[in-house]
Amino acid sequence: MKQKQTKRKRRWIWALFWMVLAALLAEVYARFVEPNLLVVRRFSFPAQGIAADCRVVFFTDTHFGEDKSVDSAKQLAERINRLEPDLVIFGGDLLDNYARDREQLDLELLRQQLNSIQAPGGKYAVWGNHDWGGGAARIYQEFMKSCGFQVLKNESLFLENYRIQLLGYDDYLTGDLEGQLPTFAEGVFPLLIAHEPYTAQLLSDLPERALMLSGHTHGGQIGIPWIARQILPPGSGGLVRGMYALDESAESARVYVSSGIGTTRLPLRLLSPPEIVCIDLQQPE
Ligand SMILES: [Fe+2]
């Protein structure tokens, strides 16, 4: 009897040991390995109304600062250029906290790297909550402009070569979505950019088959589905990462929620690696 109890006790000790070891390894991986990965998600999208195929590269939520060195922007720019995009789109949250990190931030280096991104059809960006907050509002628009990005705030552009209507929205949490929003044009492909995915649910007149690109959620950073859903920030609209249809119809507008590049609050990423998104907009057959 005593021997049986000792055996059971030993089994429990071993189980505890393996659990602690697994938790430690997961933490080391989430802190030092996964945040430094960079994956490319590729997909094609049937773009009704488009005049020519168009490759869009989307990146978002870089959160450069304390936990994401500006040095990593070189790799980011090189990877984007290797994809040979027609358009490059940034979804907001460039810096994690400008007021906190500005002494250490090498903005000149960041400017050089973002400037080196090539896109013949143009480079565009929108505002994220971290671009309004942390004192970044003072520099964001001018800084992005100096990197060759046009920042869209409740504005729409017509990209004639592709017949794309590009609509960029202000940040839902900290910006202004109450005023005049751009109206949708007929007979062109609507490509929307908004930092928070919830913005798609606010646009009652969103055309069928439109595509919105968003970030903000970081895929929960800890990409275990139940945990990710518990720690989603406001403005996510319950969306975590990946492609979502807004309703059940085949014609429904879609929102792609990117897990982004950097981290905020916790410098951890687990099962939600940093990503660049490469979308081939194609004329439907
Ligand atoms: Fe973010």
Side-chain angles (χ1 to χ4, degrees), residues 3-50:
Q3 227 177 4
K4 238 184 186 177
Q5 272 179 344
T6 319
K7 240 183 179 177
R8 200 179 297 158
K9 206 172 164 189
R10 234 186 254 155
R11 234 182 270 146
W12 272 108
I13 290 169
W14 272 112
L16 200 65
F17 169 78
W18 287 116
M19 272 160 63
V20 170
L21 186 66
L24 277 172
L25 287 175
E27 196 186 329
V28 168
Y29 173 80
R31 174 74 181 90
F32 299 105
V33 180
E34 192 166 302
N36 299 312
L37 302 177
L38 187 57
V39 302
V40 177
R41 307 251 179 241
R42 285 171 179 263
F43 59 91
S44 53
F45 189 88
Q48 193 81 44
I50 206 167

Side-chain angles (χ1 to χ4, degrees), residues 238-249:
L239 310 183
V240 184
R241 69 179 162 142
M243 187 68 91
Y244 295 88
L246 284 183
D247 60 54
E248 281 167 16
S249 78

Side-chain angles (χ1 to χ4, degrees), residues 60-63 91-96 128-130 195 215-218 221 233 259-264 269:
T60 184
D61 296 84
T62 44
H63 287 266
D93 281 7
L94 180 73
L95 309 174
D96 191 44
N129 49 317
H130 287 252
H195 184 66
H216 183 59
T217 66
H218 304 191
Q221 282 189 204
S259 58
I261 306 277
T263 58
T264 194
R269 273 190 182 263

